[in-house]
């Protein structure tokens, strides 16, 4: 067989091979795959945040410009009428003042109590784990259960608090009425100091022991070490607890759980000292059926929380110590 008789590649395969290197589909870059994976895993939270937070807030904002009462289809748009009424309503300002006083009182007390417990259980004590568990247990009690327990504990006729007073010959006190109701409300906040204790304990254990040992060798007392080393290094934790504590205190519904009649009809009979801003919102919503006006109250509260949070960050910018500069570019 001569060379001319040898079948070519074209004869065997039916077509000539393509010239040049083989081509393939472009592969997805690693960065693109990582972005897709991130959004895939974050999508449940994003969807939930959009449907359960953004959408209700937008709906409440729309309601705040109307006279909607939740039932009747006869409502109309009033523009900023609800907001003008809000700023001229004396009950709104009084409830807001009580809420501010409650926040200024309860937040520092709860932080001090939680930090004190954290310092106590951070020491090398016997059964330290048991003490930590027992001190944290009240924090996991649901707020409704805690409210019912405190309501029974401070009941004027059958409460254990008045039972203890009777042992010392002291007449029974109306704990759930003015002027004592505010003190019971603060006690319910201190009851959950275990949450702050756990966070403060984590911050204490993150402080380098070398600094405390060096201060002890230099002759610093325990109080001086705590004031000059522990508190500055714990300042980011304290800032976090302050911000979250203020937000939680202005949104508390515990006065409703302590009320003699925790129903829409009985909300107006709350002790004046416990008639906080959220109680005013609750009354406007469910006792008076003014959904538009109550929505305006909530949006004003939202703006006030943003302002208060910004002021706290601004006021503490020079006293909060970070191990890593939060403004540094990575």
């Amino acid at each position: 067989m001569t060379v001319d008789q040898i079948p070519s590649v074209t004869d065997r395969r039916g077509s000539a091979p393509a010239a040049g290197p083989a081509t393939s589909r472009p592969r997805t870059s690693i960065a693109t795959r990582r972005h897709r994976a991130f959004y895939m895993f974050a999508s449940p939270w994003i969807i939930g945040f959009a449907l359960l937070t953004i959408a209700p807030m937008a709906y409440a904002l729309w309601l705040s410009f109307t006279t909607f009462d939740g039932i009747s289809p006869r409502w109309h748009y009033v523009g900023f009428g609800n907001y003008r009424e809000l700023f001229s309503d004396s009950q709104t300002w009084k409830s807001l003042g009580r809420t501010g006083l409650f926040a200024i009182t309860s937040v520092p007390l709860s932080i001090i109590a939680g930090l004190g417990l954290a310092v106590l259980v951070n020491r090398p004590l016997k059964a330290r784990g048991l003490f930590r568990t027992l001190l944290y247990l009240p924090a996991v009690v649901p707020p409704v259960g805690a409210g019912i327990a405190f309501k029974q504990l401070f009941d004027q006729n059958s409460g254990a608090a008045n039972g203890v007073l009777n042992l010392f010959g002291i007449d029974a006190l109306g704990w759930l009425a003015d002027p004592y109701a505010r003190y019971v409300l603060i006690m319910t906040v201190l009851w959950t100091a275990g949450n702050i204790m756990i966070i403060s304990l984590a911050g204490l254990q993150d402080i380098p022991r070398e600094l405390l040992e060096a201060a002890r060798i230099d002759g610093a007392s325990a109080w001086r070490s705590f004031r000059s080393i522990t508190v500055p290094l714990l300042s980011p934790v304290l800032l976090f607890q302050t911000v979250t504590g203020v937000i939680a205190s202005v949104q508390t519904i515990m006065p409703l759980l302590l009320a003699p009649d925790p129903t829409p009809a009985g909300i107006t009979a709350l002790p004046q000292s416990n008639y906080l801003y959220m109680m005013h919102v609750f009354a406007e919503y469910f006792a008076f059926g003014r959904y538009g006006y109550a929505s305006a109250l909530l949006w004003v509260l939202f703006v006030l929380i943003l302002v208060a949070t910004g002021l706290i960050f601004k006021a503490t910018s020079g006293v909060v110590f970070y191990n890593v500069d939060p403004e540094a570019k990575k």
Side-chain angles (χ1 to χ4, degrees):
M1 178 181 296
T2 63
V3 176
D4 296 337
Q5 295 174 331
I6 298 176
S8 64
V9 177
T10 303
D11 296 332
R12 293 196 304 269
R13 298 182 179 178
S15 63
T23 59
S24 61
R25 292 188 305 174
R27 295 183 177 179
T28 305
S29 65
I30 296 178
T32 302
R33 291 200 299 269
R34 287 179 176 176
H35 290 163
R36 290 178 180 176
F38 168 78
Y39 285 111
M40 181 182 67
F41 283 107
S43 58
W45 181 88
I46 295 174
I47 295 173
F49 181 75
L51 295 179
L52 302 178
T53 302
I54 299 298
M57 289 182 64
Y59 181 65
L61 180 61
W62 172 76
L63 283 181
S64 68
F65 298 108
T66 69
T67 59
F68 185 60
D69 62 359
I71 300 175
S72 174
R74 296 181 179 179
W75 58 269
H76 58 276
Y77 178 80
V78 293
F80 289 95
N82 288 326
Y83 292 93
R84 286 193 295 268
E85 180 183 355
L86 182 155
F87 287 110
S88 62
D89 186 2
S90 61
Q91 191 64 263
T92 299
W93 289 106
K94 290 179 182 178
S95 63
L96 187 61
R98 297 187 198 102
T99 303
L101 180 61
F102 171 69
I104 293 174
T105 305
S106 63
V107 174
L109 287 177
S110 60
I111 292 177
I112 293 173
L115 181 58
L117 292 176
V119 172
L120 177 64
V121 298
N122 194 42
R123 299 175 62 85
L125 303 173
K126 292 184 178 180
R128 184 171 57 179
L130 176 62
F131 283 115
R132 291 176 180 176
T133 303
L134 293 177
L135 291 173
Y136 181 68
L137 275 179
V140 301
V141 176
V144 175
I148 294 174
F150 271 84
K151 187 175 178 179
Q152 294 179 348
L153 180 65
F154 289 97
D155 184 82
Q156 184 174 2
N157 299 319
S158 59
N162 281 331
V164 174
L165 294 179
N166 290 333
L167 295 177
F168 296 94
I170 303 175
D171 296 334
L173 300 177
W175 291 101
L176 301 180
D178 286 327
Y180 304 105
R182 69 183 67 183
Y183 304 118
V184 177
L185 182 60
I186 294 176
M187 290 180 193
T188 61
V189 176
L190 297 177
W191 171 259
T192 59
N195 281 327
I196 297 178
M197 179 198 73
I198 290 297
I199 299 175
S200 299
L201 180 61
L204 289 174
Q205 294 180 347
D206 192 48
I207 296 176
R209 296 297 177 187
E210 295 81 2
L211 296 177
L212 299 175
E213 289 294 332
R216 185 180 61 82
I217 293 174
D218 289 341
S221 63
W223 169 247
R224 180 62 185 271
S225 298
F226 178 79
R227 181 170 58 88
S228 301
I229 297 177
T230 302
V231 172
L233 293 179
L234 206 62
S235 55
V237 176
L238 299 178
L239 174 61
F240 168 78
Q241 293 171 344
T242 300
V243 173
T244 56
V246 169
I247 295 174
S249 63
V250 299
Q251 296 180 346
T252 183
I253 61 170
M254 190 57 70
L256 179 63
L257 301 177
L258 297 174
D261 183 16
T263 63
I267 189 66
T268 55
L270 272 174
Q272 285 298 306
S273 59
N274 279 5
Y275 194 83
L276 305 183
Y277 193 86
M278 284 302 297
M279 299 301 98
H280 186 45
V281 173
F282 184 88
E284 295 294 338
Y285 259 120
F286 302 108
F288 306 133
R290 303 184 65 192
Y291 280 47
Y293 185 69
S295 297
L297 289 171
L298 287 178
W299 264 97
V300 169
L301 179 63
F302 174 71
V303 173
L304 290 176
I305 289 175
L306 289 181
V307 173
T309 303
L311 291 177
I312 292 173
F313 276 105
K314 185 67 175 179
T316 59
S317 59
V319 296
V320 177
F321 174 80
Y322 294 96
N323 291 327
V324 178
D325 186 3
E327 302 297 332
K329 297 182 178 179
K330 297 183 179 180

